[in-house]
Amino acid sequence: MASILDEYEDSQNRRHPVQHSSRLAAANIGITHSGFVNVRLEEEKPIFNKQRIDFTPPEKINHFAVCNNQLCMSLGKDTLLRIDLAKPDQPNQIELGRKEDSKVHKLFLDPTGSHLVISLSTSECLYLNRNTQKVRSLSRWRGHLIESVGWNKLLGTETNTGPILVGTSQGIIFEAEISASEGSLFNTNPDQYFKQVHALEEDGKPAPVCCIEVERGMESKVFIIATTRKRLFQFVGLNRTGSQLLPSFQEFPFNMGYSEITFYTSKLRICPKAFAWMMGNGVLYGQLDYVRPDSLLSDVQVWDYTPDIDFSFNKPISVVLTQFHFLLLLPDRVKAICTLNGQVVYEDVFPDKFGPLKKMIKDPVGGLIWIYTEKAVFRYHIQREARDVWQMYMSMNKFDLAKEYCRDRPECMDTVLAKEAEHCFQNKRYMESAKCYALTQNYFEEIALKFIEAKQEEALKEFLLKKLNNLKESEKTQITLLVMWLTELYLNRLGLLESDEGKYGLFLETREEFRKFLCSSKHKECLYNNRTTIYDLLASHGNVDDMVYFSVIMQDYERVISHYCQHDDYGAALEVLSKHCDEKLFYKFSPVLMQHIPKKVVDAWIKMGNRLDPKKLIPALVNYSQMGSTQQINETIRYMEFCVYQLVVTEEAIHNYLLSLYAKYKPDSLLSYLEQAGTHASDIHYDLKYALRLCAEHGYLQACVLVYKIMELYEEAVDLALQVDVDLAKSCADLPEDDEELRKKLWLKIARHVVQEEKDVKKAMNCLSSCNLLKIEDILPFFPDFVTIDHFKEAICSSLEEYNQHIDELKREMEEATESAKRIREDIQEMRNKYGLVESQEKCAVCDFPLLNRPFYLFLCGHMFHYDCLFQEVNPHLSSYKQSKLEELQKKLAAASRTSKSRPRPAPKEKEEGGDSASLGKGSASVSREQIKSDIDDIIACECVYCGELMIKSIDKPFIDPLKFEEEKSSWL
């Protein structure tokens, strides 16, 4: 008993069921034209898998009920066994305590598994709640043999059933309610009320209510289905008991003494979606439509019983409905019939040793199907019931439903699509057929030939498009083939439509579709790699518009612009140029465009700004400025001015070209350009020699003067300026400010010109006043002999006065120099008599050692240094020249010292005669050393290193030489 649901009988106690299937055999799926291979490594498990519970009842099983994993069975005379399937090892056995003559007629278990109603053959009813062990009597129900109960799925709880409907053997329907609570002192019955609401009849007589079902739809609408032996009643209304009108019903002629209805619900507490009613004429199967106002049943059909069912000895006992099958329970077997085609797909025969089958029940929560005999309990697991449904829908030409049930099985999906495509093709629905064929793995060539033979180019195109979209990026060869083929098809179609004026709208639509195809980002790489072939196809069809469109897509703007230029559509060509701003294309096509639309071209150049190199545009400009019209020349000058003044281009070629344009066509702007360009050669961006030659060739003297001035050829500038204007020459003569001799020479040229050429004495006198370098005596030779002195009497007097003033200034300067020399001599004499006192404890200002230990220097400021210390301090600050000279002096001093020490002493006998000579040599060497020391002193001791200029000059030098910084830094670590 403890292992009732965990242990099962050995396979020897089970007979292999016989399978009858309407689905396609495995051999028909194998290796097919679709390209899929169906390989089954092991035998597929059956949809309905039977298992016998390892349970031997102590007494025979009379009745059986299961719901929400709660199992109840009536055993023997007075025993009720309850098992919670979640805890199968904890069964609960209860004694009913009924009379000897009463038997259990039926068991009714509510959807929650909490409420059990036990109908007795003595027209009595008992009640048992899942949470109690006490069986209670339903006194109000006494006197009625209960045949069916319609539970309240919405309001029912574990302790209360809510309003329910109860059907009796006399055709009466009662409304009742059961509560598990003990109630009050005066009302201990679990049944709260029990009242009649309706009665059902057959042929004018009461008929037992075999089944009753209560469902709720939208807007609080209530649906009730009740069945008798051969009638099915429907109640539809807005209250809990249904409509106040008479119910509608369906009646069948044959009666087998009872009937049973079952429902299929996908999830608990969701309204059932289908029903199956087992009655005398067969099984009525249909859908439940909660929207219809008049009837709940829709798409009903009757599936007849198979010929082997004989009501005389093997009438159907029970029926259970699954998603796609209904199972019929016969005394010795179970049959599963497909609800789609009425075919028997499964038949399981039970061995005789278990006795006849008594009842089949489905648990709506767990989905398990239970069958019991007096001696045994069986259950069925339903596994992948929808696995072969796609084939049935496919055979019924319901392809959408077939595809719905094989989404996760590509080989099946391919079969369905191929069948649908073939079906559409046979019914001349070629476009739909093409879409389906494109999704299959059928041979591409066969499908394409089918459409070609049927002369269905549009369908072929649709097939190719779909096939193209389904290809992977790695399948480059296939993509290329399809793209080229589709291009050819589109072009053929466009050619046919264009020639037919009545189909112009269709032509535009097709062209738009073709252009979308060319724009496809998915196949952009293929289109780009094969653009030459596509260009050839477009050209062969004479489709110029689409060729231009494709060129734009491929960013092949050169081809587009060339096309527009060949067709004299220069505005469109420039528009493409301006839109895509490709510098190379500007350089290439500007010459042609400049010839025809110069103003627009220059506007485009100006808009491009710095992105264009003006130097690369010069060839086109030179071409048309020489042979072009006035407009082209003016536009050329406009662009050159933009480059010079707006872009501030410094290229010499640009400035030279603008200069030549001004010289030839716009001389009024030449001088202003030269003046604006600058007055120093470093500021000039044009070639001065070229500018001078250009101006000279065209006779622009004033411009030549300006160029000469910039070149600092002042004599040439003055000579040329005198041919234009004396004032211009004067402005040139004052330019060499640092060269008085040249200025004087230039002014003399002007004066000579004024006197000899213009013979204007007043102007000559003005030259004297304009230049302070000229004297009257400088220009007198230029005057002719006949000129009287009266004209320049004032100038002569003024010159004499200046001479007198100059002589007086020289006298004062001589007196001041004599006085300064006298003071210097006195200071030198005074310096010779100065001295300093050095104490014995004085120390060197650098090394801080006693000063008198080594040769030292004493400065007037008071600082005292050892000779070697001062040398080390001063040497780094000296110039390279003085450092090398100091090094040379030190070498000479060392050499002189060695010569003095190595000289031999004379012999005593020769002392008198050689004494004078030795004394002379010693004196000469001493003088040489003293002179060297004096020179060294002049370098290192000319001033105090701490108080003199060396210290001031070294103020911006770092304390540590940057080259020795790292070395110094490491010495501190």
Side-chain angles (χ1 to χ4, degrees):
M1 294 289 290
S3 60
I4 186 170
L5 296 179
D6 293 334
E7 299 179 7
Y8 308 107
E9 277 195 346
D10 294 334
S11 60
Q12 62 185 359
N13 295 327
R14 186 185 311 161
R15 181 180 299 175
H16 289 292
V18 180
Q19 291 278 15
H20 298 278
S21 176
S22 64
R23 65 179 183 266
L24 297 175
N28 293 333
I29 295 177
I31 300 177
T32 69
H33 62 285
S34 68
F36 281 103
V37 179
N38 184 14
V39 179
R40 295 184 178 178
L41 299 179
E42 59 183 21
E43 186 179 352
E44 230 176 10
K45 293 182 179 179
I47 294 175
F48 303 100
N49 185 21
K50 182 181 73 175
Q51 297 170 332
R52 184 195 167 191
I53 306 303
D54 185 16
F55 164 65
T56 303
E59 300 180 77
K60 68 176 183 179
I61 303 173
N62 298 322
H63 291 280
F64 189 99
V66 62
C67 201
N68 198 21
N69 286 333
Q70 300 297 317
L71 186 150
C72 300
M73 63 178 75
S74 171
L75 302 176
K77 295 182 179 180
D78 201 34
T79 303
L80 183 70
L81 182 65
R82 295 190 300 183
I83 300 173
D84 185 349
L85 298 180
K87 304 172 184 177
D89 56 345
Q90 299 176 13
N92 178 247
Q93 189 170 323
I94 299 173
E95 299 298 327
L96 296 178
R98 55 186 173 81
K99 299 177 182 179
E100 289 290 331
D101 57 345
S102 66
K103 298 179 180 179
V104 174
H105 178 59
K106 284 186 178 180
L107 297 179
F108 304 100
L109 189 61
D110 82 308
T112 67
S114 301
H115 308 283
L116 177 66
V117 173
I118 308 166
S119 174
L120 302 178
S121 59
T122 55
S123 299
E124 295 179 288
C125 285
L126 303 177
Y127 169 73
L128 179 64
N129 190 272
R130 182 173 65 182
N131 299 322
T132 65
Q133 295 285 98
K134 182 179 179 182
V135 178
R136 303 169 69 186
S137 174
L138 300 175
S139 58
R140 290 187 175 90
W141 297 35
R142 189 175 293 118
H144 300 284
L145 182 61
I146 305 303
E147 294 287 347
S148 58
V149 176
W151 298 102
N152 194 326
K153 299 175 185 177
L154 181 65
L155 301 178
T157 63
E158 290 186 359
T159 59
N160 194 290
T161 63
I164 60 175
L165 295 179
V166 180
T168 68
S169 61
Q170 296 300 314
I172 303 172
I173 298 177
F174 290 91
E175 181 182 344
E177 185 175 356
I178 302 174
S179 176
S181 59
E182 293 295 331
S184 63
L185 180 64
F186 300 101
N187 183 16
T188 59
N189 295 329
D191 48 339
Q192 302 297 303
Y193 64 89
F194 191 74
K195 63 179 181 179
Q196 180 177 342
V197 294
H198 204 80
L200 303 181
E201 295 181 350
E202 283 182 359
D203 302 327
K205 298 177 182 180
V209 183
C210 300
C211 297
I212 190 167
E213 181 78 9
V214 180
E215 296 295 341
R216 281 174 170 78
M218 295 182 295
E219 300 177 355
S220 302
K221 189 178 288 188
V222 179
F223 301 90
I224 299 173
I225 295 178
T227 65
T228 59
R229 291 166 296 191
K230 60 179 182 178
R231 285 186 179 180
L232 187 150
F233 294 85
Q234 295 183 69
F235 300 83
V236 181
L238 296 176
N239 54 44
R240 64 185 181 181
T241 59
S243 172
Q244 299 297 326
L245 301 176
L246 291 176
S248 62
F249 64 89
Q250 287 183 285
E251 184 174 4
F252 292 87
F254 191 76
N255 177 3
M256 64 177 182
Y258 57 88
S259 70
E260 183 173 299
I261 192 168
T262 182
F263 299 88
Y264 169 72
T265 307
S266 58
K267 291 182 181 179
L268 189 64
R269 296 213 177 262
I270 293 179
C271 297
K273 59 181 292 187
F275 76 96
W277 179 38
M278 181 188 72
M279 41 79 181
N281 289 80
V283 176
L284 179 69
Y285 171 78
Q287 304 296 315
L288 299 178
D289 187 352
Y290 297 91
V291 179
R292 292 177 61 182
D294 54 341
S295 175
L296 182 62
L297 312 182
S298 66
D299 300 333
V300 295
Q301 57 183 329
V302 177
W303 295 113
D304 296 332
Y305 295 121
T306 56
D308 61 331
I309 296 179
D310 188 350
F311 284 2
S312 60
F313 65 90
N314 64 345
K315 288 193 298 185
I317 301 171
S318 293
V319 65
V320 165
L321 182 63
T322 63
Q323 186 176 5
F324 296 105
H325 303 85
F326 61 85
L327 280 70
L328 280 178
L329 181 70
L330 301 172
D332 63 341
R333 69 192 62 198
V334 172
K335 286 189 176 185
I337 294 94
C338 179
T339 57
L340 299 177
N341 54 18
Q343 305 245 344
V344 177
V345 298
Y346 175 83
E347 186 171 355
D348 188 9
V349 180
F350 286 73
D352 296 336
K353 66 178 181 178
F354 299 120
L357 304 179
K358 300 194 67 177
K359 192 74 172 177
M360 178 170 58
I361 304 165
K362 181 183 178 184
D363 184 351
V365 177
L368 298 176
I369 298 173
W370 298 79
I371 297 176
Y372 71 94
T373 69
E374 290 183 349
K375 301 178 182 179
V377 177
F378 303 87
R379 68 179 176 187
Y380 283 92
H381 287 270
I382 304 175
Q383 298 178 335
R384 295 179 59 223
E385 183 182 4
R387 71 180 69 166
D388 296 322
V389 170
W390 64 273
Q391 298 184 62
M392 300 175 190
Y393 280 128
M394 183 178 70
S395 63
M396 298 162 63
N397 294 334
K398 295 182 178 180
F399 300 108
D400 290 339
L401 290 172
K403 288 183 281 190
E404 186 69 28
Y405 287 99
C406 61
R407 289 187 180 278
D408 56 343
R409 299 170 67 183
E411 73 281 0
C412 302
M413 178 68 79
D414 189 75
T415 303
V416 174
L417 289 168
K419 183 69 181 295
E420 182 182 7
E422 186 63 30
H423 175 77
C424 294
F425 191 90
Q426 291 175 357
N427 289 275
K428 299 186 184 303
R429 291 154 48 197
Y430 297 110
M431 295 297 287
E432 296 176 38
S433 176
K435 292 176 182 178
C436 293
Y437 268 132
L439 299 174
T440 68
Q441 298 296 319
N442 288 24
Y443 294 130
F444 173 83
E445 298 86 350
E446 292 181 1
I447 301 170
L449 284 172
K450 286 184 72 170
F451 289 115
I452 292 172
E453 291 172 357
K455 297 181 179 180
Q456 295 296 322
E457 283 196 6
E458 283 298 301
L460 175 62
K461 183 182 69 177
E462 184 68 24
F463 168 69
L464 296 178
L465 281 171
K466 295 292 183 183
K467 205 70 178 176
L468 179 62
N469 290 330
N470 293 334
L471 289 176
K472 300 176 183 177
E473 290 185 6
S474 58
E475 299 173 308
K476 297 186 182 299
T477 303
Q478 292 89 331
I479 291 174
T480 302
L481 172 66
L482 293 180
V483 167
M484 296 301 107
W485 195 352
L486 281 165
T487 302
E488 180 68 26
L489 288 175
Y490 272 118
L491 291 174
N492 287 337
R493 180 68 173 165
L494 287 170
L496 291 173
L497 293 175
E498 190 175 15
S499 60
D500 190 345
E501 295 181 358
K503 296 182 179 179
Y504 183 69
L506 184 58
F507 166 76
L508 294 177
E509 184 180 338
T510 306
R511 186 172 69 179
E512 184 65 25
E513 183 182 340
F514 177 48
R515 291 186 173 183
K516 285 182 180 179
F517 170 73
L518 294 176
C519 288
S520 173
S521 57
K522 186 176 181 181
H523 312 117
K524 185 176 181 179
E525 182 182 356
C526 175
L527 290 166
Y528 182 79
N529 293 335
N530 298 278
R531 61 188 184 280
T532 304
T533 306
I534 296 176
Y535 283 137
D536 293 340
L537 285 172
L538 290 165
S540 67
H541 284 267
N543 195 330
V544 177
D545 292 340
D546 288 321
M547 184 173 68
V548 172
Y549 182 82
F550 181 67
S551 301
V552 173
I553 295 171
M554 293 294 104
Q555 297 183 355
D556 191 357
Y557 305 120
E558 182 175 352
R559 185 182 293 268
V560 178
I561 297 167
S562 296
H563 167 76
Y564 286 135
C565 290
Q566 289 170 6
H567 290 78
D568 297 336
D569 193 352
Y570 303 106
L574 182 61
E575 185 178 349
V576 175
L577 262 179
S578 303
K579 183 177 180 180
H580 300 287
C581 303
D582 190 329
E583 296 85 356
K584 293 181 180 178
L585 294 180
F586 265 102
Y587 301 144
K588 181 173 182 178
F589 291 100
S590 287
V592 178
L593 298 176
M594 190 68 183
Q595 183 179 2
H596 297 90
I597 47 173
K599 185 178 185 308
K600 291 182 179 180
V601 173
V602 171
D603 289 340
W605 289 349
I606 292 173
K607 190 175 180 181
M608 286 288 288
N610 284 320
R611 284 176 289 182
L612 288 179
D613 184 357
K615 190 167 60 176
K616 295 182 179 180
L617 295 172
I618 286 180
L621 295 173
V622 170
N623 229 353
Y624 297 111
S625 65
Q626 291 176 352
M627 53 183 287
S629 64
T630 304
Q631 184 186 10
Q632 291 166 345
I633 293 167
N634 291 336
E635 293 302 326
T636 302
I637 293 174
R638 181 162 72 96
Y639 181 65
M640 288 292 102
E641 289 177 340
F642 169 77
C643 294
V644 171
Y645 299 123
Q646 301 296 324
L647 300 182
V648 195
V649 175
T650 58
E651 290 284 346
E652 186 178 275
I654 299 298
H655 287 264
N656 288 345
Y657 183 48
L658 179 60
L659 199 63
S660 68
L661 290 173
Y662 280 150
K664 292 179 183 178
Y665 306 109
K666 203 173 181 182
D668 296 341
S669 303
L670 177 62
L671 192 60
S672 61
Y673 165 76
L674 292 173
E675 291 173 348
Q676 190 174 351
T679 57
H680 297 284
S682 59
D683 301 331
I684 301 302
H685 300 301
Y686 55 85
D687 187 340
L688 289 166
K689 294 180 180 179
Y690 173 74
L692 183 62
R693 179 170 57 82
L694 196 66
C695 296
E697 286 178 359
H698 291 82
Y700 303 134
L701 300 182
Q702 193 170 353
C704 292
V705 171
L706 184 56
V707 175
Y708 275 134
K709 287 163 59 177
I710 298 169
M711 296 172 72
E712 297 183 358
L713 300 176
Y714 302 115
E715 289 190 48
E716 290 82 352
V718 170
D719 290 340
L720 196 59
L722 289 174
Q723 298 179 28
V724 180
D725 183 24
V726 173
D727 292 333
L728 178 61
K730 290 180 179 179
S731 65
C732 296
D734 282 331
L735 291 176
E737 297 176 354
D738 300 331
D739 192 345
E740 292 186 354
E741 184 179 351
L742 178 59
R743 283 179 61 203
K744 184 175 180 180
K745 183 178 179 181
L746 297 177
W747 277 102
L748 286 173
K749 281 178 176 284
I750 297 171
R752 182 193 297 271
H753 174 79
V754 171
V755 174
Q756 294 180 353
E757 299 296 330
E758 297 187 6
K759 297 180 173 40
D760 192 335
V761 178
K762 284 188 177 181
K763 279 189 178 181
M765 293 301 102
N766 290 337
C767 289
L768 292 176
S769 62
S770 299
C771 179
N772 55 3
L773 298 178
L774 289 182
K775 305 298 179 183
I776 186 62
E777 60 269 26
D778 296 327
I779 65 172
L780 281 176
F782 304 147
F783 287 97
D785 296 337
F786 58 85
V787 177
T788 60
I789 197 171
D790 295 338
H791 291 93
F792 37 86
K793 179 180 177 180
E794 293 179 2
I796 293 173
C797 293
S798 174
S799 178
L800 292 174
E801 288 176 2
E802 288 179 4
Y803 278 124
N804 289 333
Q805 291 175 1
H806 185 59
I807 290 170
D808 292 339
E809 287 176 1
L810 289 175
K811 286 180 179 180
R812 284 196 298 274
E813 289 175 2
M814 289 175 65
E815 291 174 357
E816 290 174 359
T818 303
E819 184 67 26
S820 296
K822 181 180 178 181
R823 287 198 209 98
I824 291 171
R825 284 194 295 271
E826 291 175 354
D827 290 341
I828 291 173
Q829 187 64 33
E830 185 180 355
M831 287 294 292
R832 288 176 181 173
N833 299 327
K834 280 193 176 182
Y835 65 92
L837 181 65
V838 179
E839 302 288 342
S840 61
Q841 68 271 18
E842 293 291 346
K843 295 181 179 181
C844 175
V846 176
C847 65
D848 205 28
F849 280 94
L851 188 67
L852 299 177
N853 289 350
R854 301 197 301 273
F856 63 90
Y857 290 98
L858 171 63
F859 291 93
L860 293 177
C861 60
H863 287 113
M864 291 168 277
F865 304 92
H866 286 131
Y867 167 78
D868 54 342
C869 293
L870 180 63
F871 180 86
Q872 291 178 359
E873 284 292 313
V874 172
N875 190 47
H877 299 284
L878 295 176
S879 63
S880 57
Y881 169 74
K882 287 188 177 182
Q883 285 180 349
S884 59
K885 185 176 181 181
L886 185 61
E887 185 178 356
E888 183 182 351
L889 290 171
Q890 284 182 313
K891 290 179 181 179
K892 288 181 178 180
L893 180 61
S897 299
R898 284 196 301 271
T899 303
S900 165
K901 291 179 181 179
S902 63
R903 188 178 301 277
R905 292 185 179 181
K909 61 180 180 180
E910 298 175 355
K911 181 176 182 182
E912 186 174 348
E913 63 181 24
D916 293 340
S917 176
S919 298
L920 179 62
K922 183 178 180 182
S924 176
S926 176
V927 170
S928 177
R929 283 199 305 275
E930 290 302 324
Q931 182 61 43
I932 294 172
K933 285 183 179 179
S934 176
D935 293 342
I936 292 174
D937 290 344
D938 290 341
I939 295 175
I940 66 172
C942 63
E943 61 181 357
C944 176
V945 69
Y946 287 168
C947 302
E949 289 186 6
L950 283 177
M951 183 59 65
I952 297 171
K953 290 179 181 179
S954 65
I955 194 169
D956 59 343
K957 292 184 179 180
F959 291 108
I960 301 174
D961 188 351
L963 299 176
K964 299 180 180 179
F965 178 77
E966 293 298 330
E967 181 182 349
E968 186 71 21
K969 179 181 176 183
S970 60
S971 67
W972 283 76
L973 298 177

